[in-house]
Amino acid sequence: MSPLRIMQLNKERIKKMGHMTFFWGRNTEDTIPGWPGRSLYSYFFGLIWVFLLSLMVERLSHTRFIKPGTNDFTAGLLQTLMYAIRVALAYLVMLAVMSLNFDVFLASVAGYAVGFLVYSSRVFRKSELVP
């Protein structure tokens, strides 16, 4: 193979790799082809989608779906199902963040932060300790 052909192949390989650092902007190539698209509306929809996904991960992390007195086998299956859904959603958020778009990163962090604030912090629930 000629050196010129090797250089052409290297240039093609680098073009396919995309960004290797965080960047700002709505024109991006993500891990899911065609997402979020080229229009501003689809870009904002993608950011809202990432925000809601990360919010849902926090919701599932801090919710008790099993009532006292539930059969142990049924409770175990329900816990396993909820864990699998939570991990799948967390991986979707991770894939979105791997686009290295800083706006997507901020949307995911904001979703996790708001989810923690609403579902786990003491701001919206009563304290068990009474002074």
Side-chain angles (χ1 to χ4, degrees):
M1 191 178 296
S2 71
L4 182 61
R5 180 65 181 146
I6 292 173
M7 287 175 47
Q8 289 173 342
L9 289 175
N10 282 338
K11 285 182 182 179
E12 290 174 13
R13 184 177 55 88
I14 290 171
K15 282 183 182 178
K16 290 180 183 179
M17 288 176 60
H19 292 278
M20 297 305 290
T21 59
F22 277 106
F23 68 97
W24 293 96
R26 65 180 173 92
N27 294 332
T28 178
E29 288 293 324
D30 291 332
T31 54
I32 302 169
W35 182 84
R38 296 287 182 207
S39 75
L40 188 60
Y41 295 115
S42 63
Y43 181 69
F44 282 129
F45 176 74
L47 292 178
I48 291 168
W49 182 248
V50 170
F51 176 84
L52 292 175
L53 277 176
S54 56
L55 185 80
M56 184 58 71
V57 170
E58 281 297 311
R59 173 75 174 140
L60 291 175
S61 297
H62 301 290
T63 302
R64 296 178 188 253
F65 290 102
I66 301 170
K67 297 178 182 175
T70 305
N71 181 4
D72 288 340
F73 181 75
T74 305
L77 286 178
L78 186 60
Q79 276 182 319
T80 303
L81 177 68
M82 288 299 114
Y83 178 77
I85 291 171
R86 182 174 59 90
V87 168
L89 292 176
Y91 277 125
L92 285 176
V93 172
M94 180 192 68
L95 281 174
V97 170
M98 285 175 59
S99 70
L100 297 176
N101 186 325
F102 200 70
D103 296 333
V104 174
F105 174 72
L106 289 178
S108 66
V109 170
Y112 280 117
V114 170
F116 180 82
L117 177 73
V118 172
Y119 301 118
S120 184
S121 71
R122 294 175 57 181
V123 173
F124 293 107
R125 61 186 170 110
K126 295 181 181 179
S127 178
E128 291 84 25
L129 300 174
V130 178

